[in-house]
Every structure is written in C-alpha cells, then in structure tokens.
Amino acid sequence: MGHLTELTFTECKLGKTKCEEVKTLSLGDISFTKIGALEASAKSNGGTKVKVKCGALIDCTYGGEPLLKAHSSESGETKLLATKTTVLTELGEKFICPDTSEWDATYPASGTMWIES
C-alpha cells in the first residue's frame, strides 16, 4: 500500500485545446499487486479527485479507481505508468463532461521502492 503525497500535471491538452487548470483536489492510497519481475499493477482506492478545466466548456472533476502499472529498476527507481487509463466523471455537467476519460502519463515515485523479482 502506498499513499500519494503529491500529484501534478503539466502539458495537459484535450485534443488540441490546452487545459488551463488541472488541479488535484484530494489524494488517496494506491495498492500494489506484483504481476512480473520488477512490475506491479497499481490501483487507486478512489480517494484521488482531479479538477480539469479546458477551453470555455470543460470544467469537470474526475476520480474513480484507475489501474496503472508500476515498473521498478534494480536500483529501486519506480515509475507509475498510465496508458489509456480510464477515470470516471465525479462532478460536472454530464452533457459536457464525458462519463469516462482516458489519460497517458508517467509519474516518478518519490523515495525508493522495490518490486522484488
């Protein structure tokens, strides 16, 4: 089990529209399940919520229980990878905010964490 201490977003876009605000509202926990040598699945407990504002219309809050992959190097450097990872709309006008959204990202884990082989 791990706890998120910070989650930041940079260079966010919706198609070609730059998102002027992507703000973390709350942080949750992540549970890890080993799936291979130096690899694990990382599942959010649903406590993390993110507000996204893009262009004049999109002002939505997302959450849910996304599933990411965790890769660890032999030195203990671990990164969480989101590849077409789905999150759910929590708040916002359902006509404008899609029920689900996908994102691609790489997050470095702070400190040292090993996924033992």
Side-chain angles (χ1 to χ4, degrees):
M1 176 78 67
H3 182 74
L4 295 174
T5 57
E6 181 180 23
L7 187 59
T8 57
F9 299 86
T10 57
E11 299 180 33
C12 297
K13 295 179 185 175
L14 174 64
K16 293 183 179 183
T17 303
K18 182 177 180 181
C19 297
E20 56 271 1
E21 180 183 0
V22 182
K23 179 180 177 184
T24 303
L25 302 175
S26 63
L27 296 169
D29 294 324
I30 297 178
S31 61
F32 296 90
T33 304
K34 183 179 171 67
I35 57 175
L38 304 177
E39 186 175 57
S41 62
K43 183 177 182 183
S44 169
N45 70 351
T48 302
K49 307 281 186 243
V50 176
K51 180 180 178 91
V52 178
K53 289 181 80 172
C54 304
L57 296 177
I58 301 297
D59 186 354
C60 311
T61 299
Y62 291 96
E65 298 180 3
L67 185 63
L68 292 81
K69 284 195 177 175
H71 291 275
S72 183
S73 68
E74 291 187 21
S75 65
E77 179 186 22
T78 300
K79 294 185 178 186
L80 299 176
L81 307 173
T83 306
K84 294 198 182 293
T85 300
T86 301
V87 290
L88 305 174
T89 302
E90 296 286 323
L91 300 170
E93 175 56 51
K94 294 291 186 172
F95 179 72
I96 305 273
C97 300
D99 288 337
T100 62
S101 186
E102 294 179 341
W103 93 100
D104 296 314
T106 301
Y107 301 101
S110 62
T112 303
M113 180 173 77
W114 282 272
I115 301 168
E116 296 179 1
S117 52

